[in-house]
Amino acid sequence: MDPRVEKFLAVIKAKNPGENEFHQAVMEVAESLIPFIEENPKYKHAKILERIAEPERVILFRVPWLDDKGEVQINKGYRIEMNSAIGPYKGGLRFHPTVNLGVLKFLAFEQVFKNSLTTLPMGGGKGGSDFDPKGKSDNEVMRFCQSFMSELFRHIGPDTDIPAGDIGVGGREIGYLFGQYKRLRNEFTGVLTGKGRNWGGSLIRPEATGYGATYFAEEMLKTRGDSLKGKIVAISGSGNVAQYATEKVTQMGGKVVTLSDSAGYIYDPAGIDEKKLNWVMELKNIKRGRISEYAEKFGVEYFEGKRPWEVKCDVAMPNATQNEIEEEDAKMLVKNGCVCVSEGANMPSTPAAVTLFLEKKILYGPGKAANAGGVAVSGLEMTQNSMRLNWTREEVDTRLQMIMKEIHATCEKYGRKENGFINYVEGANIGGFIKVADAMLDQGVV
Ligand code: NDP
């Protein structure tokens, strides 16, 4: 490791002990940025990177709620307001038992660069809880969301901080959170994105992350005169991002052969077509079942406790969670001929996996670029809320495609090497950094 990065990271580790995912995210960004900052001393003197790595505000609170048996349950609630240099804080809420301060800080840190890449005026934030919606009744989820918002409402607002969904927070949870916010504030504003269609939501927001990651894969393949048409695609996860990536890949002529959840993956060599995907959507979004049921329903193989990266594929789209592609998984992907990795999830590849992808000159689109379509359409939802207008499906989708192309162009501008190879990690980090850093310089030491 570059000794300058090592020195920087030592300070981060000392200041933020035990926050492993946060250290990992900062390291990856620092590796791209420190050489760039050395060449641009104005950023160095103003300690921009040091400031970006320190949240503007961290809010931690108690979330007490009553379960269906009348027993009191207590969870932790968090909101990390990371950076507001280019706009109000913006980023999702995650409800999952693995949530802790380090995980949310990594996500908020990534969000700053991602939001900057979208070209829209949004700062970065992230929040959530260690609450697990799995196995809870709708009433329990509602009581939890109401309690969560009863504290969060005083810290957020349509011009201050606008949360959205993430793992474990979909349309149902956004609805309960919005209802409680409206009741407490007595105002109907665009304080959350991912809202329902008939109460302020945007068309294409549910689809945006999965569609965007697919458009980004297509852009990457295009640089080598290739496309998704006819490609075998391995997808992990079976939630929001995985479902709509499956839909878009299929529409663009690719064949999706895997889906997974935290218990294992299914392999369907015939491809997960529209009919099967509709069944998955019903299973996951309404019945809230497990992906293993797909194997029983369609007579395909289910691999308990495994990840889909051992399957032969041309393109991989990790759409579940952080660190789900480890070095061994990356080796298998490369060995089996995978040429492109487009990350729908945040930081799904470990540093060793990323190093391998770059060494092997894989088209590797890191999450902060490839999955920025979700927050981009959240930004478009905010615009529509401000104008009190709704755009058509075509209009939002066209804007999403344009934004994904622009993000790709930014990555290319800052990431293209002399030998022609595009290092999307460097491109996304430097491209996302400049806009935020210049705004911070303009605004003084705040
Ligand atoms: P969902 O809750 O809809 O789905 C998450 C999926 O990932 C589920 O299939 C879940 O399986 C699986 N999963 C979650 N945790 C783990 C784990 N520890 N190990 C293995 N599998 C796991 O979330 P989303 O689809 O919204 O989010 C997926 C990823 O995309 C996340 O990294 C998120 O940060 C990222 N993302 C999402 C955006 C959005 O707009 N929703 C925007 C940008 C990024 P199970 O049901 O078993 O838990």
Side-chain angles (χ1 to χ4, degrees):
M1 193 191 291
D2 182 329
R4 296 168 300 182
V5 177
E6 212 163 332
K7 195 170 149 207
F8 179 74
L9 206 60
V11 176
I12 294 290
K13 284 184 177 170
K15 281 191 172 186
N16 306 277
E19 296 175 6
N20 298 338
E21 290 84 0
F22 180 58
H23 304 161
Q24 183 183 334
V26 173
M27 177 185 76
E28 188 244 272
V29 165
E31 276 177 341
S32 308
L33 284 182
I34 286 180
F36 174 77
I37 289 171
E38 290 290 333
E39 288 166 22
N40 295 274
K42 62 180 177 178
Y43 301 129
K44 188 174 174 180
H45 297 143
K47 299 211 171 155
I48 297 292
L49 188 57
E50 287 84 342
R51 276 198 267 160
I52 289 184
E54 192 64 59
E56 288 179 13
R57 190 175 299 108
V58 173
I59 301 150
L60 252 163
F61 52 99
R62 177 173 72 201
V63 190
W65 56 282
L66 281 177
D67 69 16
D68 286 345
K69 293 191 218 108
E71 204 173 305
V72 178
Q73 301 287 339
I74 298 122
N75 287 99
K76 282 180 184 294
Y78 304 82
R79 186 71 184 164
I80 319 293
E81 296 184 335
M82 200 75 191
N83 194 298
S84 61
I86 62 166
Y89 309 107
K90 178 91 197 94
L93 296 171
R94 176 176 290 192
F95 293 168
H96 196 272
T98 55
V99 161
N100 59 42
L101 190 59
V103 166
L104 293 179
K105 277 172 69 179
F106 118 63
L107 289 164
F109 181 74
E110 292 273 299
Q111 196 82 43
V112 173
F113 297 85
K114 182 191 308 193
N115 292 6
S116 164
L117 283 169
T118 65
T119 71
L120 302 174
M122 299 182 290
K126 199 84 188 187
S129 173
D130 57 358
F131 172 74
D132 188 358
K134 242 183 270 158
K136 304 288 189 302
S137 69
D138 283 353
N139 280 334
E140 287 177 323
V141 171
M142 181 175 73
R143 284 195 294 274
F144 172 81
C145 288
Q146 290 176 339
S147 179
F148 185 85
M149 187 51 88
S150 297
E151 174 57 34
L152 188 68
F153 86 100
R154 65 187 94 248
H155 307 288
I156 62 175
D159 295 316
T160 311
D161 185 353
I162 307 95
D166 190 74
I167 291 179
V169 179
R172 173 182 62 170
E173 291 75 15
I174 293 290
Y176 296 147
L177 292 162
F178 184 77
Q180 184 71 354
Y181 181 88
K182 186 162 61 64
R183 186 180 184 199
L184 291 166
R185 283 267 194 224
N186 192 27
E187 58 185 34
F188 195 114
T189 54
V191 68
L192 292 162
T193 56
K195 298 187 288 300
R197 203 33 221 123
N198 47 4
W199 43 277
S202 173
L203 286 165
I204 305 280
R205 176 59 190 92
E207 294 90 337
T209 309
Y211 278 19
T214 310
Y215 295 145
F216 199 82
E218 183 78 355
E219 285 301 308
M220 290 196 286
L221 287 162
K222 225 194 268 175
T223 64
R224 295 191 184 165
D226 206 346
S227 79
L228 276 166
K229 203 163 179 359
K231 294 282 181 299
I232 306 285
V233 182
I235 288 184
S236 65
S238 48
N240 171 270
V241 180
Q243 291 170 15
Y244 287 106
T246 303
E247 180 168 285
K248 189 47 77 180
V249 167
T250 311
Q251 285 171 4
M252 293 177 80
K255 184 160 84 172
V256 177
V257 294
T258 63
L259 284 173
S260 72
D261 58 25
S262 46
Y265 79 93
I266 58 103
Y267 176 49
D268 185 347
I272 301 164
D273 60 17
E274 194 188 331
K275 215 169 112 228
K276 293 174 185 169
L277 178 62
N278 286 339
W279 185 89
V280 171
M281 287 182 170
E282 163 109 11
L283 172 78
K284 283 285 167 184
N285 308 345
I286 296 163
K287 295 188 187 143
R288 301 188 187 272
R290 310 301 297 158
I291 201 67
S292 57
E293 294 169 48
Y294 182 104
E296 289 156 34
K297 169 81 183 167
F298 297 107
V300 302
E301 271 192 279
Y302 171 66
F303 297 88
E304 175 89 36
K306 292 199 156 183
R307 298 166 178 162
W309 318 125
E310 57 193 16
V311 158
K312 187 168 169 47
C313 65
D314 306 306
V315 177
M317 297 183 71
N319 290 341
T321 194
Q322 63 269 11
N323 292 330
E324 56 165 316
I325 299 186
E326 297 186 69
E327 190 176 11
E328 285 310 307
D329 301 313
K331 279 185 186 158
M332 260 184 305
L333 282 170
V334 172
K335 185 168 143 259
N336 286 332
C338 175
V339 293
C340 174
V341 178
S342 186
E343 294 185 339
N346 284 307
M347 207 169 76
S349 307
T350 62
V354 176
T355 303
L356 186 84
F357 290 147
L358 296 179
E359 254 172 42
K360 300 288 177 189
K361 304 279 184 285
I362 301 291
L363 294 164
Y364 167 67
K368 64 170 78 68
N371 72 35
V375 71
V377 174
S378 274
L380 300 180
E381 183 172 327
M382 289 161 66
T383 307
Q384 293 169 79
N385 291 165
S386 299
M387 298 193 302
R388 303 198 190 280
L389 270 179
N390 295 319
W391 288 330
T392 61
R393 204 180 155 81
E394 290 67 36
E395 178 142 18
V396 181
D397 196 24
T398 304
R399 285 176 191 269
L400 170 63
Q401 289 181 48
M402 259 165 44
I403 290 172
M404 296 315 297
K405 281 193 170 124
E406 283 185 44
I407 296 173
H408 186 274
T410 303
C411 291
E412 193 168 355
K413 178 172 172 192
Y414 294 106
R416 196 179 272 286
K417 301 280 148 196
E418 273 164 19
N419 61 7
F421 174 68
I422 304 172
N423 182 328
Y424 289 90
V425 177
E426 266 183 43
N429 287 338
I430 297 172
F433 173 78
I434 291 174
K435 187 170 153 195
V436 177
D438 287 346
M440 289 174 75
L441 286 180
D442 290 346
Q443 292 168 23
V445 181
V446 288

